[in-house]
Amino acid sequence: MTGPLPGDPAATVGGAATERAFCVLAPNPSPMTLDGTNTWLLAEPDSELAVVVDPGPLDEGHLRAVIAEAERRGKRIALTLLTHGHHDHAEGAARFAELTGTPVRALDPALRLGEEGLHGGQVVEVGGLELRVIPTPGHTADSLTFHLPADGAILTGDTVLGRGTTMVAHPDGLLGDYLDSLRRLRSLAAEHGVRTVLPGHGPVLADALGTVEYYLAHRAARLAQVETAVEAGCRTAEQVVARVYADVDRALWPAAELSVLAQLRYLEDHGLI
């Protein structure tokens, strides 16, 4: 690959990202999780209270490392938030709540610990820190993005990654919803001073608008390829993957088939195939 990578990614993953955001990297690297899950520790510089977004997998060492980092920075964790319910982001939430005594807030009621949930348009405030809740379904039905206006940043979970592009997989992933979510983030970046992407996996991105525009262009190109494959006679997701994803590691083809099913559903729903 030549030229700069989209989004202007940071050289490393983990550590201080903005004035209010610090990443503790979970030890769960894989082709799907990249370097591992980014657990975000957020706090106003002069506050004793902190918020954790996505405690990550059920890994006792990682959960305790997040708590230790907060203590090292003179913070007490007061709240846990989830971007969505996939295990690599949320599996450790119940144990983390035990360790910290914090409620867990999420869009999906099944993931909550405590009386309060989350919904689009909500503003969460802890120790002067302000997070605005943005619904961004598509990767999953319960996906949320958190806007941190003081840092001009968004915490995107798996909706936008620090490297590569996001899987939108059948049946939970809905491509139409996902494209609408990307357009919502594009407007946020263009109109409200959002510069930085704090993703659920991979490095921090310094060009939020450029990243989202790249994602939208990538999705349009993939849809065109799938449409062409169908017109050429491909009748199953497996056949489409063999044609469109021929350059992808074959070990990832089963996941690619789920992505193709979501794309085929989108094309069918819009009368394009």
Side-chain angles (χ1 to χ4, degrees):
M1 181 181 293
T2 59
L5 293 172
D8 190 14
T12 59
V13 178
T18 68
E19 187 177 6
R20 294 165 180 80
F22 187 96
C23 173
V24 182
L25 181 62
N28 61 332
S30 75
M32 299 302 291
T33 61
L34 304 181
D35 310 84
T37 300
N38 293 337
T39 294
W40 290 102
L41 180 65
L42 310 175
E44 284 294 321
D46 59 353
S47 174
E48 296 180 356
L49 302 180
V51 175
V52 165
V53 176
D54 291 351
L58 184 54
D59 181 294
E60 189 79 7
H62 172 64
L63 301 179
R64 291 187 180 276
V66 175
I67 296 168
E69 181 60 37
E71 291 174 348
R72 187 185 71 81
R73 302 169 73 82
K75 311 292 184 183
R76 177 176 65 83
I77 297 168
L79 178 63
T80 301
L81 303 177
L82 298 177
T83 61
H84 65 297
H86 280 167
H87 282 188
D88 55 316
H89 293 258
E91 184 186 31
R95 175 58 178 156
F96 193 69
E98 289 180 359
L99 292 171
T100 60
T102 61
V104 177
R105 296 176 66 179
L107 180 63
D108 185 349
L111 299 171
R112 301 172 188 167
L113 292 173
E115 296 182 0
E116 287 191 274
L118 294 171
H119 57 80
Q122 190 172 19
V123 178
V124 177
E125 294 185 74
V126 174
L129 182 81
E130 179 183 292
L131 290 170
R132 299 174 184 173
V133 182
I134 304 166
T136 47
H139 173 68
T140 62
D142 69 328
S143 287
L144 297 172
T145 289
F146 299 111
H147 178 202
L148 179 56
D151 283 347
I154 46 176
L155 292 94
T156 55
D158 283 352
T159 298
V160 176
L161 303 178
R163 187 168 58 250
T165 54
T166 295
M167 175 72 68
V168 179
H170 178 81
D172 193 31
L174 293 176
L175 188 54
D177 288 352
Y178 184 67
L179 293 172
D180 287 343
S181 293
L182 290 178
R183 295 183 188 109
R184 189 173 301 120
L185 293 181
R186 178 174 62 185
S187 296
L188 189 70
E191 300 169 12
H192 296 279
V194 171
R195 303 172 301 279
T196 305
V197 176
L198 307 177
H201 305 279
V204 172
L205 301 171
D207 179 8
L209 182 59
T211 301
V212 176
E213 289 179 339
Y214 171 81
Y215 264 56
L216 284 165
H218 170 79
R219 286 293 165 185
R222 278 297 194 209
L223 279 169
Q225 290 174 325
V226 171
E227 186 176 0
T228 298
V230 172
E231 291 172 351
C234 295
R235 292 293 175 263
T236 67
E238 184 179 5
Q239 291 171 342
V240 173
V241 167
R243 180 183 178 97
V244 174
Y245 293 82
D247 59 338
V248 173
D249 186 339
R250 291 183 71 94
L252 299 177
W253 279 20
E257 287 183 28
L258 295 177
S259 177
V260 165
L261 285 171
Q263 293 174 78
L264 290 171
R265 179 177 179 179
Y266 175 87
L267 291 170
E268 290 170 355
D269 288 347
H270 288 77
L272 299 173
I273 60 173

